[in-house]
């Protein structure tokens, strides 16, 4: 705490631009090196950022001045890269999911615990003012006792805009594992851990046609279910209904709604850091927009790393590995339930992350108790 954390990034694909924009605004993060299997991409990033070196993957992991490895590789490589970084004594922060499977994710957490390094994982969107304002409303009792929630993500498929969408339709892909981390992380942040799930899944097309880029018009196979729904039973008794689809066209549903015995909340897109939170009270006659009351102001991808850097040793970061593991376990359990047609207990658990007071600085958020 109190000094910048030196970060090296592995994976220089499209998502890196959002992290770079955030890092330029955060004094607690110092980007020192980048690496990619394509050295040209890594060099291009280094050339555009003063003081940043382009290295090989192994060279970055071994670099003495890298404290934390930001893992922006594809999901199938998340565990391998994380384990190598941990073995080199580095903390790690990864794009979601934590790993391709819970078995791999367990290896990452156990290795990090043995090495005494920290693990963080996206999404850190739950630390922004949107989800945090909603959480404060729930914690303050504005809707009474939480009863249920809905979480809805509907799109006709990423192949319409992504130039290389193959992995979305292969094992480890699909709408739940791709977009579910945002929604399930938000539900756990709002309502607490999940103890059991019931799932169902389907797919409508065996092939997809790429709609943009150099491969436009190419047909790719679909080998996973592309529409998934689940019922999540939270530890506190609330029931969440989850709908994740690459098959349907559009929805007018709120991204997330939470209902209590005194009121209901309409909550913004958990893939974003901001957005209006609306409240309808049992005693009212219309929706009202709540004032922003919690969360990191003007945050962006990478605030989870800044929060990790400001977390005292021995404490779990808000966007930490334990939460990411539980979210992955919930999603795997939904898919297993869909496969066997029965309720599946969720073996893992995770504490609700500490709430974020309304602030622009992770260091300020850690320096003062939330209830002060």
């Amino acid at each position: 705490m109190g000094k910048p954390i030196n970060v090296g990034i592995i994976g220089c694909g499209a998502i890196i631009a959002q992290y770079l924009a955030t890092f330029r605004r955060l004094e607690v993060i110092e980007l020192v090196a980048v690496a990619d299997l394509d050295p040209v991409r890594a060099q291009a990033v280094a050339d555009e950022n003063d003081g940043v070196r382009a290295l090989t993957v192994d060279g970055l992991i071994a670099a003495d001045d890298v404290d934390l490895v930001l893992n922006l590789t594809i999901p199938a490589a998340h565990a391998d890269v994380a384990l190598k970084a941990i073995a080199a004594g580095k903390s790690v922060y990864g794009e979601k999911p934590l790993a391709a499977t819970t078995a791999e994710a367990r290896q990452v957490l156990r290795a990090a615990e043995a090495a005494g390094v920290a693990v963080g994982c996206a999404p850190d969107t739950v630390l922004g003012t949107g989800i945090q304002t909603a959480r404060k409303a729930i914690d303050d009792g504005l809707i009474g006792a939480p009863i249920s929630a809905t979480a809805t993500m509907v799109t006709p498929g990423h192949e319409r805009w992504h130039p290389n969408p193959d992995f979305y339709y292969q094992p480890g892909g699909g709408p739940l594992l791709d977009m579910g981390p945002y929604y399930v992380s938000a539900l756990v942040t709002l309502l607490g851990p999940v103890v059991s799930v019931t799932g169902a899944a389907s797919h409508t097309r065996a092939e997809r046609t790429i709609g943009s880029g150099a491969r436009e018009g190419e047909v790719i196979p679909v080998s996973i279910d592309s529409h998934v729904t689940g019922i999540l039973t939270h530890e506190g008794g609330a029931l969440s209904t989850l709908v994740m689809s690459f098959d349907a066209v559009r929805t007018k549903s709120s991204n997330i709604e939470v209902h209590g015995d005194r009121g209901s909340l309409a909550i913004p897109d958990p893939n974003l850091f901001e957005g209006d939170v609306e409240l309808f009270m049992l005693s009212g006659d219309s929706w009202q927009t709540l004032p922003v009351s919690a969360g990191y102001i003007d945050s962006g991808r990478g605030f989870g790393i800044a929060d990790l850097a400001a977390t005292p040793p021995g404490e779990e970061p808000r966007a930490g590995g334990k939460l990411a593991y539980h979210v992955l376990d919930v999603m795997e359990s939904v898919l297993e339930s869909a496969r066997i047609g029965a309720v599946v207990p969720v073996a893992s658990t995770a504490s609700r992350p500490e709430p974020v007071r309304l602030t622009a600085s992770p260091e300020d958020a850690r320096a003062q108790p939330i209830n002060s």
Side-chain angles (χ1 to χ4, degrees):
M1 298 181 64
K3 65 177 183 178
I5 185 170
N6 288 347
V7 174
I9 301 177
I10 297 178
C12 297
I15 193 65
I16 195 174
Q18 296 185 49
Y19 282 94
L20 294 175
T22 301
F23 289 175
R24 295 184 187 108
R25 299 191 288 120
L26 290 172
E27 294 182 0
V28 73
I29 294 175
E30 184 73 28
L31 180 63
V32 297
V34 293
D36 193 278
L37 292 178
D38 180 352
V40 174
R41 291 206 303 186
Q43 190 60 56
V45 173
D47 289 344
E48 294 176 359
N49 293 272
D50 292 342
V52 176
R53 313 189 308 279
L55 303 174
T56 65
V57 171
D58 289 343
L60 187 148
I61 289 173
D64 290 339
D65 62 340
V66 172
D67 303 318
L68 178 144
V69 172
L70 171 55
N71 185 1
L72 302 184
T73 60
I74 61 172
H78 284 183
D80 181 60
V81 171
L83 288 169
K84 288 179 178 177
I86 291 167
K90 318 292 188 188
S91 292
V92 293
Y93 185 96
E95 257 302 322
K96 49 78 185 172
L98 180 59
T101 66
T102 53
E104 291 182 349
R106 278 194 299 274
Q107 293 180 39
V108 172
L109 294 184
R110 288 170 179 169
E113 183 176 8
V117 298
V119 176
C121 187
D124 50 3
T125 48
V126 294
L127 307 181
T129 54
I131 299 301
Q132 289 294 320
T133 293
R135 174 185 176 149
K136 189 174 189 304
I138 294 170
D139 291 350
D140 287 350
L142 294 187
I143 65 168
I147 298 168
S148 67
T150 59
T152 307
M153 191 289 301
V154 167
T155 174
H158 290 350
E159 76 281 359
R160 300 170 71 245
W161 57 268
H162 199 293
N164 295 291
D166 309 65
F167 68 96
Y168 290 117
Y169 299 102
Q170 298 170 356
L176 181 60
L177 293 177
D178 175 48
M179 296 300 295
Y182 299 105
Y183 289 80
V184 178
S185 295
L187 290 171
V188 173
T189 297
L190 296 167
L191 298 173
V194 176
V195 296
S196 66
V197 302
T198 303
S202 65
H203 66 274
T204 57
R205 285 170 277 170
E207 297 176 335
R208 300 280 177 138
T209 302
I210 299 176
S212 65
R215 300 170 63 196
E216 182 176 356
E218 182 179 335
V219 175
I220 59 174
V222 175
S223 57
I224 47 87
D225 284 321
S226 45
H227 182 99
V228 181
T229 187
I231 299 173
L232 318 181
T233 301
H234 294 267
E235 187 176 69
L239 302 176
S240 291
T241 302
L242 187 69
V243 176
M244 301 280 111
S245 183
F246 283 168
D247 289 345
V249 175
R250 188 75 64 175
T251 180
K252 292 182 73 174
S253 300
S254 300
N255 295 95
I256 297 177
E257 292 182 353
V258 177
H259 307 287
D261 58 8
R262 292 177 51 200
S264 295
L265 289 172
I267 298 169
D269 188 346
N271 192 15
L272 304 177
F273 290 83
E274 302 173 335
D276 289 340
V277 178
E278 295 182 290
L279 171 69
F280 198 111
M281 297 292 293
L282 180 63
S283 58
D285 57 7
S286 64
W287 290 94
Q288 57 177 303
T289 300
L290 295 179
V292 172
S293 59
Y296 290 130
I297 302 166
D298 295 328
S299 50
R301 296 186 194 277
F303 261 70
I305 300 173
D307 183 88
L308 181 152
T311 301
E315 292 188 17
E316 181 74 1
R318 290 184 174 97
K322 291 179 181 178
L323 173 62
Y325 178 82
H326 180 60
V327 168
L328 179 58
D329 194 12
V330 170
M331 295 189 299
E332 273 198 359
S333 298
V334 169
L335 295 175
E336 176 65 7
S337 174
R339 186 184 71 82
I340 66 175
V343 176
V344 171
V346 177
S348 67
T349 191
S351 300
R352 288 175 81 200
E354 286 293 314
V356 181
R357 66 186 304 110
L358 187 62
T359 178
S361 167
E363 287 185 306
D364 288 346
R366 291 286 179 180
Q368 201 169 13
I370 194 71
N371 58 0
S372 62

